[in-house]
Amino acid sequence: MATLPPQQHAQPSRKGKKAWRKNVDLTQVESGLSTVRDEVITGGVVAEKASEDLFTIDVAPSVPTARAYAKSHKPLKADEILAERSAVPPLDGRKRPATVTDGVLPDKKRRAVSAREMDRLRKIAYGGEAKKAEVLKTDVSATYDPWDAQPVQSAYTFLDPPRKAREPETIRRAPLAMTKSGRPVAAVQTPNPGKSYNPAFADWAALVEKEGTKAVDEEVKRLEEERLEAERIARIEAAQAEEEDKKMESEWESEWETEWDGLSDADVDLKVKRPQRKTQAERNRIRRRKEEERRRTHEEKAKKREQQVAQARALVKQLDKREKAKVKAPVVESESEEEGETLRRRRLGKAPIPEGPLEVVLADELQDSLRLLKPEGNLLTDRFRSLLLRGKIESRAPITQRKKPRRTTTEKWSYKDWKLK
Amino acid sequence: MAKIKKKGASGQAKNYITRTQAVRKLQISLQDFRRLCIFKGIHPREPRNKKKVSKKATPATTFYYTRDIAYLLHEPLLQKFRDHKATAKKIARALGRDEVSDAKRLENSLPRMKLDHIVKERYPTFVDALRDLDDALSMLFLFANLPSTTAVPAKTIALCQRLCLEFEHYLIVSHSLKKTFLSIKGIYYQATVQGQDIMWLVPYRFVQKMTGDIDFRIMGTFIEFYTTLLGFVNYRLYTSIGLVYPPKFNASSDESGGELGAITLESKSISGPLAIQNGTSGNTASKAASAAAQAAADKVALQNGDAEEIPAQEEPSAEVEVVDDKIDTFETVTGEGADVLPQPQVSNTEAATLFSSFTFFLSRETPRAPLEFILKAFGCKRVGWDAVLGDGAFTTNERDPNITHQIVDRPNLPPNAFSAIKGGEDEAGAPAPGARSRVPGRIYVQPQWVWDCVNQGKLLRPDLYAPGATLPPHLSPWVKPKKGAYDPTAPLEEQEKEGEAELHAEEEGEESDAEEVEHANGGPFDAIFDDEVEAGEGMDVDGSESEGESEAEAAAEVDDEEEEDDEELSETEVERLRYQRELEAEAAGQPFATADAGQMPGKKPGEAKKKAELKKRAEKEELDRQRMMLPNKKRKLFDKMQYGNQKREAEAEKLRKKRRKLEKEKLAAQAAKAK
């Protein structure tokens, strides 16, 4: 307060001696300072003190006044009785939020369920099929032997034991193996010796040879198909080009014709229906001709048959030879079970059974150290394929795009929304 | 007139039901139907005539037996599936009303399902379950090695791992692992449990790619069933040998890669760990200590372990009946010409003692999990490995004096390759693991040695598998040699025809004038000549020329000490063994094929040839006679077989000739050295 500069309103004019600094009126300031000093001496500045230091509240009732009041206003007995409160809270029929039950409010921070719990609940409620798996309890370790378990004796001995559903014998039938021969496929087939990480040369060579010929055959087949397809396309294109040429020509011609010939009479050689009936002579002639034809074909056939009979002996010889050749052809014996057995044509389900991966180590990748081995194939697909081959499940193509509801496009009729003004 | 039958009321039309019809009948979703079918073992079927079953059937329509589906109606799981759906709807309604506590209460009352009853139903006896364990084990081992994704949660993977480890522990205790094979796909194992052969395939670590073309929901359903199945199988197996199931599972050890070591087996009668654990007590504490202190601590630990082992080993043997299972050999009644009966390979007692006296150390580049499992299954009590490979090792100190074998899988470096670095480290005191110097008095082998030993049921010559050596091929144990085919693992005398050796010797004699013996100097190891040697060599079919060289190299690489010892051994040993073999051949009535068979006195050249030809002709005549007796159809089959046999025999003879030549050269070299 004391440090304030001279104020404007107190100093209307700056002309004259009154405006000098030494002539500024400080009496108010000085008096203030002196009061403050006095207050400090008497025990602190009053303005800075807390109100408790300055005032006290008189809470004690005045005894004589109260007595006088009670004399004049005596409460009724009924009021006294009503004022007596039970320690037990009264029942309340009023509706209130579910969180308040016994009059004790839960603290705000703790909810009934955590956010994670809520997520879980939501997943169970709306998650659909995906959450069903968690319902299964598989992580508990076995605590008894199902093959040695004693049947539980029921307390109600007078009741017949509940009848069990009898298993149909069809359930025990082996699943349909997807091999052409119908032979069942082992769950884990013995490995081909050529698939050793460090194979014997003969085994490895045999495997490479086998897989190689298979791959080459496939490639040849593919190339052949490609060629045929290319040929087909070329043929179609040629035909199209020809047609177009013809069209062009005919168009040009017709134009030319129409231009120059004008109206030319259309001489179309229509097939004229025979006007008159066949005479009997004609019919006879036709019959004779037909009979002659029939006879000739019959004779030719008979001649051929005779010739074949004559050749029979030679044919038998030929057959014998062929069979001998068949015997001589090398019999390929499968050394291990893991041979690519041909699959059956009719399969279960829509999708084809996927091809097994090529599990062969080429010559330049052949390592004799376990450390350098690069494993081939994929066991996940191998297991899945095995399930399909054994007919345990049907093959399915994974659904990458679901069917969407069909949409129809229509024009909006908003162009009709206009008014004459 | 016959009674008129109504169409579609009997026969195929009644016996089969389409999938859509089945789903409608059961009133569940398609996914639930699929799961139920997998759990109950109901497979799609194929009617003989689809059109007779249903007019609308397309090639893609799937059929089931109507009776199977009718049986499904009684399945308690089906009711559970429906209950679950109903409760889920109630929860959804409660959540919609913001009645969370109600939803919570309903969630608690959600039906929980177990597959226990199905296991008993599908496998009425325990042997049935064992027979179907191939697929289950392959699947579970595969899933135990998968990375966790949304499709395969970590919980499932952990469960699969635990079950697999438990099963492996049973195999270790019961020594029932029989064969194993390193393939390019993964590692094949075969065990015989209660007379049932179980084969499964375990993938290599960290190579499984998740591809999009497999339905993980279906795989997951199979896994759910198989985990339940293997749990019960494990329970039965454990209790059958007097062990407590479930065994103690140490989560912290598992966290630090303990694998087999994370599970502690307990005997039912005495409380306390069994001896099959890797007797390690003090090795975590003494890890930081110096090498000397480490060795001392290990010794103490070993002694403690031994003290514990003795009663622990004896106690279970009292209750588990120990049968003297020395296996019988089956002999054919028909005589020599008949096919060789497949003989049972390794008995349990043999398996238990194969590696029992050794202490192995696995270098850090070797696959620890399969090696640990196989070594322990074949009797090894102490397997140590580099600290990098995880927890639970017998020792992590490579210099431990107890170690007898070290498995190494790295190229062999010249001995002074690390000399510069080593010099610096020696001054520091502790030998660094980086400096790979050889520890004397220890055998170094490549991992394949373990597999080959296990498959052959005996210890093979380790020098063939020394680090840096060209390994013999790793043969599949499931390929049985056919009659007349060349068997690289058997000695020559067992498989050759009568008179073949002499005939060959004669031919050799004719050729030898022109030829020159090439590999005159073999290594000192060629000197040791016994059955094991023969088993080890000759495996290499094509590399016949290079074998002598590689062996010489291998021999040169072995430590100096060992070499000296072997040289002392070799001279006396060779003489003794040759004499022994001669005696044996005499007893068997077979000619002894030695280096100087061609110059045997009293035998004219060409005599053996004549004899062989005579015999051949006689055999052929006999065969022709038999052939004439056969009916035409069988005769053709017989011809086919004959063709195959002849081809195989010719091939085998060629290979035997090759091998005989090699052996002869070797003998000649020895003789030269002996002089």
Side-chain angles (χ1 to χ4, degrees):
Chain A
M1 210 194 287
T3 50
L4 282 173
Q7 283 167 343
Q8 198 67 33
H9 62 270
Q11 196 182 15
S13 164
R14 293 196 179 186
K15 290 178 182 170
K17 282 183 183 171
K18 266 186 186 172
W20 295 358
R21 190 173 279 270
K22 73 172 184 181
N23 290 338
V24 169
D25 180 25
L26 288 174
T27 47
Q28 208 182 349
V29 177
E30 273 165 1
S31 68
L33 280 174
S34 68
T35 50
V36 166
R37 222 173 293 132
D38 288 345
E39 278 172 5
V40 168
I41 290 165
T42 53
V45 185
V46 175
E48 287 174 355
K49 273 191 174 171
S51 40
E52 293 92 69
D53 296 344
L54 299 176
F55 308 103
T56 56
I57 300 167
D58 185 10
V59 285
S62 137
V63 179
T65 323
R67 204 177 288 152
Y69 182 78
K71 238 175 211 174
S72 57
H73 299 81
K74 201 181 177 188
L76 293 175
K77 191 67 186 171
D79 285 341
E80 252 173 33
I81 292 166
L82 283 174
E84 274 176 0
R85 299 296 296 255
S86 158
V88 180
L91 286 174
D92 193 0
R94 189 166 48 92
K95 214 173 179 196
R96 62 187 146 220
T99 45
V100 186
T101 50
D102 49 1
V104 181
L105 283 167
D107 48 349
K108 277 278 166 67
K109 274 177 204 167
R110 215 192 74 227
R111 276 190 62 178
V113 279
S114 63
R116 186 189 276 176
E117 194 72 10
M118 271 299 273
D119 272 356
R120 206 166 59 79
L121 285 173
R122 252 182 237 126
K123 263 184 195 162
I124 290 169
Y126 314 117
E129 300 298 326
K131 272 287 134 182
K132 286 258 173 88
E134 288 192 3
V135 178
L136 213 63
K137 275 202 284 186
T138 46
D139 50 346
V140 279
S141 40
T143 48
Y144 71 98
D145 184 358
W147 294 283
D148 200 25
Q150 299 299 320
V152 184
Q153 284 292 322
S154 169
Y156 309 105
T157 46
F158 50 90
L159 288 176
D160 286 337
R163 278 176 66 201
K164 265 191 167 182
R166 201 154 52 85
E167 202 179 66
E169 56 89 25
T170 46
I171 211 168
R172 294 262 159 224
R173 289 190 193 164
L176 186 76
M178 291 288 107
T179 51
K180 196 177 181 186
S181 59
R183 237 176 278 142
V185 184
V188 180
Q189 289 165 321
T190 45
N192 186 314
K195 284 184 186 172
S196 163
Y197 96 99
N198 179 20
F201 178 76
D203 296 336
W204 175 79
L207 181 71
V208 168
E209 173 75 23
K210 204 188 86 187
E211 297 288 352
T213 47
K214 213 167 48 173
V216 165
D217 284 351
E218 259 165 34
E219 183 65 10
V220 164
K221 210 172 164 191
R222 193 185 66 81
L223 286 176
E224 179 65 17
E225 264 168 19
E226 221 167 58
R227 191 182 62 79
L228 285 177
E229 180 68 15
E231 261 177 23
R232 197 179 64 85
I233 288 169
R235 227 180 300 132
I236 290 169
E237 272 174 1
Q240 274 174 352
E242 205 174 290
E243 214 164 77
E244 232 152 69
D245 274 2
K246 220 183 251 173
K247 211 177 176 184
M248 287 274 280
E249 225 164 64
S250 64
E251 264 173 23
W252 189 72
E253 250 171 30
S254 63
E255 267 172 29
W256 189 81
E257 268 171 16
T258 45
E259 250 173 49
W260 291 99
D261 286 7
L263 289 163
S264 64
D265 47 336
D267 274 331
V268 191
D269 48 339
L270 286 168
K271 217 168 197 178
V272 191
K273 210 179 179 188
R274 223 179 135 91
Q276 67 276 48
R277 284 167 168 269
K278 282 180 193 166
T279 60
Q280 188 57 39
E282 266 176 335
R283 280 179 207 278
N284 287 347
R285 207 178 302 139
I286 288 167
R287 204 187 58 227
R288 250 178 283 136
R289 198 197 68 227
K290 275 190 177 165
E291 217 147 85
E292 178 68 13
E293 269 175 10
R294 209 175 296 139
R295 195 184 54 78
R296 210 179 297 151
T297 48
H298 174 75
E299 269 177 11
E300 267 173 17
K301 265 188 187 168
K303 205 174 170 188
K304 219 177 195 174
R305 208 174 300 139
E306 263 171 38
Q307 273 178 350
Q308 276 180 350
V309 170
Q311 276 180 342
R313 207 166 286 163
L315 274 173
V316 167
K317 261 186 196 169
Q318 216 174 320
L319 266 179
D320 260 3
K321 212 179 259 175
R322 208 179 290 166
E323 235 156 60
K324 261 182 198 165
K326 239 189 223 168
V327 169
K328 269 198 182 165
V331 189
V332 181
E333 287 168 30
S334 55
E335 298 247 311
S336 73
E337 282 176 36
E338 203 186 41
E339 302 294 305
E341 206 171 348
T342 42
L343 302 186
R344 82 207 287 271
R345 212 162 47 80
R346 285 165 73 188
R347 60 211 173 211
L348 300 170
K350 231 180 261 182
I353 294 173
E355 286 270 310
L358 188 65
E359 285 155 356
V360 159
V361 181
L362 296 178
D364 54 335
E365 294 166 338
L366 214 52
Q367 305 286 0
D368 66 343
S369 166
L370 190 59
R371 182 174 48 96
L372 301 172
L373 168 72
K374 275 193 196 124
E376 294 284 326
N378 186 338
L379 284 196
L380 264 175
T381 47
D382 187 62
R383 280 291 94 207
F384 193 66
R385 190 164 178 271
S386 157
L387 287 175
L388 292 175
L389 281 186
R390 281 179 287 150
K392 296 242 170 190
I393 49 174
E394 66 211 0
S395 58
R396 293 199 317 146
I399 300 168
T400 46
Q401 264 196 325
R402 296 205 167 275
K403 242 188 223 169
K404 282 165 195 149
R406 195 182 289 160
R407 296 261 155 79
T408 49
T409 47
T410 56
E411 202 177 339
K412 273 205 168 177
W413 285 25
S414 52
Y415 68 90
K416 282 186 173 175
D417 301 344
W418 56 277
K419 274 174 196 160
L420 253 177
K421 272 177 192 171
Chain B
M1 200 184 126
K3 204 180 170 190
I4 295 171
K5 265 188 188 173
K6 205 181 167 194
K7 203 173 183 188
S10 64
Q12 293 200 60
K14 247 334 192 207
N15 289 345
Y16 294 94
I17 187 173
T18 64
R19 195 183 64 190
T20 323
Q21 282 170 336
V23 166
R24 292 238 175 96
K25 185 169 190 177
L26 298 175
Q27 296 180 19
I28 43 172
S29 64
L30 182 59
Q31 277 105 331
D32 280 347
F33 176 70
R34 276 216 185 89
R35 293 182 72 202
L36 207 53
C37 283
I38 289 170
F39 289 148
K40 294 285 282 183
I42 292 171
H43 315 297
R45 309 285 169 172
E46 194 180 49
R48 232 169 290 148
N49 190 343
K50 278 187 181 178
K51 286 289 164 206
K52 272 189 187 161
V53 176
S54 153
K55 274 272 155 58
K56 284 180 269 178
T58 60
T61 317
T62 326
F63 292 96
Y64 292 88
Y65 282 133
T66 314
R67 293 169 70 192
D68 286 1
I69 301 301
Y71 179 56
L72 266 189
L73 279 170
H74 299 284
E75 176 55 43
L77 271 187
L78 178 69
Q79 198 50 49
K80 286 275 166 65
F81 277 131
R82 289 180 186 153
D83 288 351
H84 183 271
K85 193 178 165 190
T87 318
K89 271 185 184 171
K90 282 178 193 163
I91 293 172
R93 190 168 55 208
L95 284 179
R97 287 176 172 175
D98 204 17
E99 292 165 349
V100 184
S101 52
D102 268 9
K104 187 94 179 56
R105 185 174 49 76
L106 284 166
E107 194 261 328
N108 285 337
S109 70
L110 259 185
R112 310 275 168 196
M113 291 177 247
K114 270 184 170 182
L115 298 175
D116 298 9
H117 66 287
I118 291 184
V119 171
K120 178 71 200 295
E121 222 169 72
R122 282 185 67 178
Y123 307 107
T125 63
F126 183 56
V127 174
D128 290 333
L130 285 179
R131 268 190 212 132
D132 211 23
L133 216 54
D134 284 14
D135 194 35
L137 282 174
S138 296
M139 278 276 235
L140 291 175
F141 270 99
L142 170 64
F143 269 69
N145 283 315
L146 283 186
S148 77
T149 53
T150 47
V152 191
K155 222 168 88 184
T156 312
I157 292 169
L159 176 65
C160 291
Q161 278 168 346
R162 188 172 60 79
L163 286 170
C164 290
L165 288 177
E166 282 167 9
F167 186 71
E168 280 187 346
H169 264 294
Y170 168 77
L171 294 179
I172 289 171
V173 175
S174 64
H175 299 294
S176 39
L177 188 69
K178 294 292 171 223
K179 291 168 184 173
T180 164
F181 177 58
L182 286 166
S183 144
I184 49 174
K185 276 162 90 172
I187 304 171
Y188 286 84
Y189 293 98
Q190 189 183 336
T192 309
V193 180
Q194 304 200 351
Q196 298 296 323
D197 280 343
I198 302 169
M199 188 158 118
W200 71 100
L201 176 57
V202 179
Y204 292 111
R205 281 283 157 89
F206 312 127
V207 287
Q208 293 315 310
K209 262 179 265 149
M210 308 287 265
T211 49
D213 55 348
I214 32 176
D215 195 339
F216 271 104
R217 267 186 304 189
I218 283 180
M219 296 285 259
T221 312
F222 273 102
I223 287 294
E224 275 166 11
F225 179 67
Y226 286 152
T227 43
T228 315
L229 171 65
L230 191 62
F232 281 129
V233 168
N234 279 349
Y235 183 91
R236 169 103 176 188
L237 291 176
Y238 270 62
T239 44
S240 71
I241 53 168
L243 293 177
V244 176
Y245 188 86
K248 262 186 196 162
F249 183 71
N250 186 351
S252 67
S253 171
D254 188 55
E255 202 94 307
S256 52
E259 296 189 5
L260 277 177
I263 286 176
T264 321
L265 302 189
E266 280 173 295
S267 179
K268 264 184 181 169
S269 53
I270 41 155
S271 56
L274 276 182
I276 41 154
Q277 303 304 317
N278 232 358
T280 55
S281 49
N283 85 350
T284 42
S286 55
K287 210 175 260 177
S290 67
Q294 167 76 57
D298 277 341
K299 245 178 218 167
V300 174
L302 190 66
Q303 280 164 2
N304 288 342
D306 280 343
E308 283 169 6
E309 267 171 41
I310 297 160
Q313 265 181 338
E314 282 173 0
E315 280 298 319
S317 70
E319 58 176 4
V320 179
E321 54 169 328
V322 175
V323 196
D324 179 29
D325 54 356
K326 199 176 178 197
I327 40 174
D328 306 329
T329 52
F330 301 109
E331 279 163 18
T332 49
V333 193
T334 40
E336 265 188 27
D339 284 348
V340 184
L341 277 179
Q343 302 290 342
Q345 284 219 320
V346 199
S347 71
N348 283 4
T349 40
E350 274 174 60
T353 52
L354 188 63
F355 297 128
S356 59
S357 51
F358 304 142
T359 306
F360 280 87
F361 188 84
L362 315 179
S363 292
R364 103 191 119 101
E365 70 280 1
T366 53
R368 176 211 139 182
L371 277 172
E372 187 195 359
F373 168 52
I374 292 169
L375 289 174
K376 284 183 175 173
F378 281 83
C380 186
K381 295 273 189 301
R382 298 168 297 273
V383 187
W385 52 75
D386 202 289
V388 186
L389 292 176
D391 199 22
F394 163 68
T395 171
T396 50
N397 178 18
E398 203 178 335
R399 309 238 149 203
D400 195 304
N402 293 313
I403 296 165
T404 57
H405 287 68
Q406 181 162 354
I407 295 171
V408 193
D409 191 7
R410 57 179 79 201
N412 209 21
L413 291 169
N416 54 356
F418 286 108
S419 57
I421 311 162
K422 216 179 120 194
E425 236 127 89
D426 272 6
E427 282 168 79
R436 294 281 154 191
S437 55
R438 290 285 168 78
V439 179
R442 184 186 293 186
I443 296 171
Y444 286 83
V445 281
Q446 294 197 39
Q448 196 192 323
W449 182 75
V450 176
W451 268 269
D452 284 353
C453 285
V454 162
N455 285 340
Q456 301 210 18
K458 60 191 172 193
L459 295 173
L460 299 176
R461 224 169 69 172
D463 65 294
L464 291 176
Y465 296 87
T470 315
L471 291 171
H474 180 57
L475 299 175
S476 164
W478 289 285
V479 176
K480 285 167 207 123
K482 281 182 182 155
K483 197 208 158 202
Y486 175 70
D487 179 11
T489 53
L492 261 182
E493 284 77 36
E494 278 178 20
Q495 43 180 328
E496 70 190 358
K497 282 192 221 153
E498 218 173 301
E500 192 186 290
E502 288 144 47
L503 182 67
H504 179 214
E506 276 168 20
E507 283 170 15
E508 276 286 282
E510 286 160 21
E511 288 168 18
S512 63
D513 301 333
E515 253 182 63
E516 214 177 316
V517 180
E518 277 178 31
H519 307 289
N521 42 357
F525 268 92
D526 296 346
I528 301 176
F529 204 110
D530 56 2
D531 284 2
E532 286 181 15
V533 178
E534 282 176 353
E537 70 194 30
M539 278 180 167
D540 204 353
V541 177
D542 63 317
S544 52
E545 298 304 311
S546 62
E547 196 172 67
E549 291 166 15
S550 69
E551 271 170 32
E553 278 172 18
E557 281 151 16
V558 182
D559 276 359
D560 291 13
E561 292 180 10
E562 285 178 49
E563 215 170 334
E564 280 171 21
D565 286 351
D566 286 316
E567 262 177 342
E568 283 173 11
L569 244 175
S570 65
E571 287 174 13
T572 50
E573 189 80 348
V574 168
E575 286 300 314
R576 193 181 62 74
L577 283 171
R578 267 184 71 188
Y579 183 62
Q580 174 84 17
R581 266 158 55 82
E582 248 172 320
L583 280 179
E584 277 170 8
E586 234 174 24
Q590 280 175 335
F592 180 53
T594 51
D596 41 17
Q599 298 114 31
M600 266 194 184
K603 279 208 175 179
K604 284 175 206 158
E607 194 178 311
K609 207 174 187 173
K610 240 184 234 169
K611 218 175 168 183
E613 260 172 23
L614 260 175
K615 205 185 168 200
K616 220 178 186 176
R617 202 182 297 155
E619 267 177 10
K620 211 188 162 214
E621 268 169 19
E622 174 67 15
L623 272 180
D624 276 346
R625 198 182 57 75
Q626 281 174 355
R627 184 172 170 271
M628 293 299 284
M629 311 261 278
L630 290 171
N632 194 24
K633 212 172 183 183
K634 283 192 179 165
R635 197 181 300 158
K636 268 172 202 158
L637 186 74
F638 178 79
D639 283 350
K640 266 185 206 171
M641 278 167 60
Q642 221 41 41
Y643 178 84
N645 280 352
Q646 273 169 17
K647 209 176 156 193
R648 210 178 303 126
E649 264 169 28
E651 189 120 315
E653 198 177 327
K654 217 162 103 191
L655 289 171
R656 278 201 296 270
K657 197 167 167 183
K658 222 173 191 175
R659 178 157 157 199
R660 196 169 294 117
K661 197 169 154 191
L662 273 174
E663 280 181 9
K664 200 171 133 190
E665 274 164 19
K666 218 170 273 171
L667 268 181
Q670 281 163 27
K673 203 159 193 190
K675 276 169 197 173

